[in-house]
Amino acid sequence: ITYTLHNKIIIESTVPLVTVLVESEVRLSTLARSPNERILAAAEGEPSRFGNAVIYLIDLTQNKVLNKITFFRRGVQSMAFSN
């Protein structure tokens, strides 16, 4: 199970029970999984104190952040992967 809790991305599984992948400065607004379920995208819903909202790209096979896309100025409210 993968979900956001305010400013965190939480992955629940059997071992370890809970993994926190990202702790954002602001509220995370949306999640999207790639069609092959290997990549998770999570977006901030409002700009941080630096003036940008970030989209985090996360490798779910390794539970690590691959990249941060930071050019959004107003926050991201929805997103999706295409085939």
Side-chain angles (χ1 to χ4, degrees), residues 62-77:
Q62 299 178 30
N63 285 349
K64 74 177 204 175
V65 176
L66 295 174
N67 202 355
K68 295 178 189 178
I69 304 170
T70 60
F71 57 85
F72 300 97
R73 292 193 177 168
R74 298 182 187 243
V76 179
Q77 300 306 315

Side-chain angles (χ1 to χ4, degrees), residues 9-65:
I9 299 171
I10 309 292
I11 294 181
E12 290 188 12
S13 61
T14 54
V15 179
L17 184 58
V18 175
T19 302
V20 177
L21 292 178
V22 169
E23 285 197 56
S24 170
E25 289 188 2
V26 297
R27 171 184 59 88
L28 293 166
S29 62
T30 186
L31 295 174
R33 273 190 192 241
S34 65
N36 65 7
E37 298 191 1
R38 293 183 182 166
I39 304 294
L40 176 73
E44 295 177 339
E46 58 199 69
S48 70
R49 61 187 165 103
F50 301 110
N52 291 336
V54 176
I55 293 178
Y56 299 91
L57 297 176
I58 299 156
D59 182 336
L60 292 173
T61 62
Q62 299 178 30
N63 285 349
K64 74 177 204 175
V65 176

